Amino acid sequence: MVEDSGRFDALLQEDRTFPPSEAFKTQANISDPNIYEEAKRDPEAFWAKFAEELDWFKKWDTVLEWNPPHAKWFIGGKLNVSYNCIDRHLTTSRRNKAALVWEGEPGDRRVYTYWDLYREVCQFANGLKSLGVKKGDRVTIYLPMVPELPIAMLACARIGAVHSVVFGGFSAESLRDRINDSESKILITADGGYRRGGIVPLKQNADDSLKNADGQGNGAPSIEKVVVLRRTESADDKMVNGRDIWWHDLMQGQPLTCEPEQMDSEDMLYLLYTSGTTGKPKGIVHTTAGYLLGTYATFKWIFDIKENDTYWCTADIGWVTGHSYIVYGPLANGATSVMYEGSPDFPERDRFWDIVAKYGVTILYTAPTAIRTFMRWGESYPQKHDLTSLRLLGSVGEPINPEAWMWYHEYIGGGNCPVVDTWWQTETGSILIAPLPGITTLKPGSATRAFPGIEAEILDDQGNSVGPGGGGYLTIKKPWPSMLRTIYGDEERYVEQYWSRYPDIYFTADGAKLDDDGDFWLLGRVDDVINVSGHRIGTMEVESALVDNPKVAEAACIGKSHEIKGQAVVAFVTLKDSVAISDAIITELKAHVATKIGAMARPDDIIFAAELPKTRSGKIMRRLLRDVAEGRALGDTTTLADPAVVDSLKEQYGEEE
Ligand code: PRX
């Protein structure tokens, strides 16, 4: 069931509203509210009309073929995503417009115009071809937030290779699992990246990932070549003969043009791994035309992009937000997209505001966890800078609490920028629920309504539609262009995960409520996925990492609410008989999880239990654990180590889980 309804009943009493100003409405890309009805009457016609704005080598024959749970969009169409993101702008006044404005953490800067980007992408695409990469081959990209990351993605798209970007915060082991699942031929990495003044040892991690778990042999046998970008000059002595090649050597002498591959609408564009409810991450499959259209359309209308805007999304391209709203959506629209490599508090806590002021950012897209951090740091940091260039603000990744929304609106937006709270998922490819800022009346804490052409509905356990005031599971009732097509190599899981809860209806695994105006209020995940600072972490992944430690007998993880991160990981651990509880073990286990998965999965708390509370059928009683972690079930959680305590708690909670 959807939990915490008490908290969200309070949220629904939030009654501040912000209708669009006349000034914003007049200039908005879309300001006619009839668009919702029009799209609802004929979603396929709506999407087809939007698809005319893309460049096609050959137009489609059929807009949609829906054999649940499989959708094909724009069947028969031929196009290329890199062509749509670059080439088509070269014949317009955008030719010498900044496409990417990049700033490294140490303060170095680079600007790529569309024409610059064209040459870099073509050269790198030719480089990949010279390494034997062909259409359909998978390429894993493990890079810091540098311009070469979007260049590598676009180069793959240009030649029809499938990219799989792995976030630089993932460990060697997580990288290895993702390489092996995708059977990538090439790994693109860097010697390192800058983060909070230090160097993230990407090449070292990449080298470790290519070894077996015992440090020997080949842990990722599909990899033929490793392309290494020199960024930090920290791994010049680590190049492996015959396997590794420097990015700059690969580029050397490559032709400046490269014919874009004519891709079918439904050809795979990329894979992106995300956490689910098992220990194994899911390779989400996105295809060419539908994905491009979804990101193009939502970016144009929700961010109200104009020719002169300077847009900045602060996400990392290692997550879907960066794919859709740093790279594909903005570039398909011919926008100027800002990219920043490092952390918001380096060298000082005003780095973001320094960037906004320096580049005259007009549209800012960030996450609630960042906003809450800025709130805690205080207004003085943004107040040191002129932020008056901003005209629109966005939020993504987790529910935004009304206080954070108001602070963002007031202190960053100066009280006159619409705040668009955008709900979506790796699987949805593009934003599905968000305001249209020239139409929608905003409410702090609500993502408001579904994008035109999207049919979102809240259902109860039995599959009945939930009306105003009610809560339940968020579902999407009709296919949409940028939806995932399957889980790579695991069709069964695709069907089971998304389409089995309600037949032929997409199950989001998010809880939501509807208010009296029909606006959506998102309540968070209803499955075993924890959202830590907007990053999805599967409880099973953390549990597997913990039991991998020889001192651990059993582990169960849950998400606990956290003031800044939204949620934090709490692990309940049963140690092996011979092992005594100590502070040193807590430190060791936290570090173990960080090494196995990545620092973002490190548990905040480890609570030892002599046994884990389970139902008679052997299921871990997670609700009980959540109540223990939040301090609702036991004042002093350390007493959980006494088996009698577990028994009495189990009695109190019954067997309902
Ligand atoms: O629980 C929802 C939450 O993030 C999940 C998707 O995570 P991921 O695939 O990593 O994509 C994150 C960026 C799109 C969702 O199932 N989520 C995302 N955006 C919001 C949100 N929850 C509430 N409000 C949002 N705006």
Side-chain angles (χ1 to χ4, degrees), residues 321 397-399 421-426 510 522 525 531 536:
T321 304
E398 51 174 318
D421 174 14
T422 63
W423 178 90
W424 59 297
Q425 307 175 306
T426 306
D510 268 15
L522 276 305
R525 302 287 299 197
N531 191 328
R536 259 165 85 163

Side-chain angles (χ1 to χ4, degrees), residues 191-500:
D191 48 3
Y194 292 103
R195 183 83 198 168
R196 205 163 276 140
I199 290 178
V200 183
L202 295 171
K203 179 62 163 64
Q204 184 60 56
N205 291 347
D207 285 345
D208 291 347
S209 79
L210 300 181
K211 291 181 195 143
N212 272 327
D214 60 7
Q216 308 293 318
N218 195 348
S222 60
I223 293 291
E224 294 170 8
K225 292 279 178 209
V226 179
V227 181
V228 186
L229 177 77
R230 189 185 268 136
R231 165 85 185 116
T232 54
E233 294 173 27
S234 58
D236 282 7
D237 54 346
K238 292 207 173 77
M239 297 297 278
V240 174
N241 236 339
R243 185 196 73 182
D244 296 355
I245 173 163
W246 286 111
W247 175 291
H248 54 264
D249 287 339
L250 182 64
M251 293 285 266
Q252 195 69 41
Q254 294 296 347
L256 296 175
T257 59
C258 171
E259 254 329 275
E261 189 75 31
Q262 303 214 354
M263 303 294 283
D264 278 340
S265 291
E266 281 298 326
D267 277 337
M268 211 191 296
L269 174 64
Y270 72 77
L271 275 174
L272 182 59
Y273 285 86
T274 188
S275 294
T277 50
T278 73
K280 192 172 177 290
K282 308 179 278 195
I284 302 300
V285 172
H286 281 297
T287 55
T288 300
Y291 174 80
L292 181 67
L293 176 62
T295 56
Y296 171 81
T298 50
F299 186 74
K300 180 171 179 179
W301 281 7
I302 297 167
F303 295 105
D304 191 49
I305 194 74
K306 298 288 184 325
E307 209 54 68
N308 290 332
D309 275 314
T310 301
Y311 160 89
W312 181 25
C313 167
T314 69
D316 192 292
I317 295 177
W319 307 104
V320 75
T321 304
H323 281 59
S324 299
Y325 297 106
I326 296 178
V327 185
Y328 294 115
L331 299 180
N333 275 278
T336 297
S337 183
V338 175
M339 248 182 103
Y340 168 59
E341 177 186 32
S343 102
D345 56 354
F346 189 85
E348 292 296 336
R349 289 172 166 183
D350 65 343
R351 185 65 182 267
F352 274 23
W353 319 123
D354 179 61
I355 292 174
V356 168
K358 189 188 298 166
Y359 300 109
V361 171
T362 55
I363 303 170
L364 177 69
Y365 191 30
T366 193
T369 184
I371 298 166
R372 289 191 296 263
T373 304
F374 300 139
M375 277 172 83
R376 193 166 70 178
W377 290 346
E379 294 79 86
S380 65
Y381 294 102
Q383 280 167 352
K384 273 202 255 175
H385 299 273
D386 177 5
L387 305 183
T388 52
S389 56
L390 288 169
R391 66 177 195 92
L392 180 68
L393 303 174
S395 171
V396 61
E398 51 174 318
I400 181 163
N401 44 313
E403 302 70 41
W405 195 103
M406 288 301 297
W407 189 90
Y408 193 30
H409 184 259
E410 189 61 30
Y411 291 104
I412 307 305
N416 52 27
C417 299
V419 176
V420 291
D421 174 14
T422 63
W423 178 90
W424 59 297
Q425 307 175 306
T426 306
E427 291 88 340
T428 69
S430 58
I431 298 167
L432 296 194
I433 301 181
L436 292 177
I439 299 175
T440 317
T441 293
L442 307 171
K443 296 173 188 165
S446 168
T448 72
R449 48 190 308 193
F451 192 78
I454 302 295
E455 200 177 312
E457 189 160 33
I458 301 176
L459 300 181
D460 67 13
D461 276 317
Q462 284 70 46
N464 303 311
S465 175
V466 167
Y473 303 106
L474 178 66
T475 66
I476 312 295
K477 300 195 84 172
K478 286 213 168 85
W480 65 99
S482 65
M483 65 192 270
L484 79 165
R485 297 304 194 259
T486 189
I487 293 174
Y488 191 69
D490 202 345
E491 172 64 18
E492 211 176 303
R493 192 173 175 194
Y494 169 70
V495 176
E496 147 65 29
Q497 174 77 52
Y498 306 108
W499 305 96
S500 64

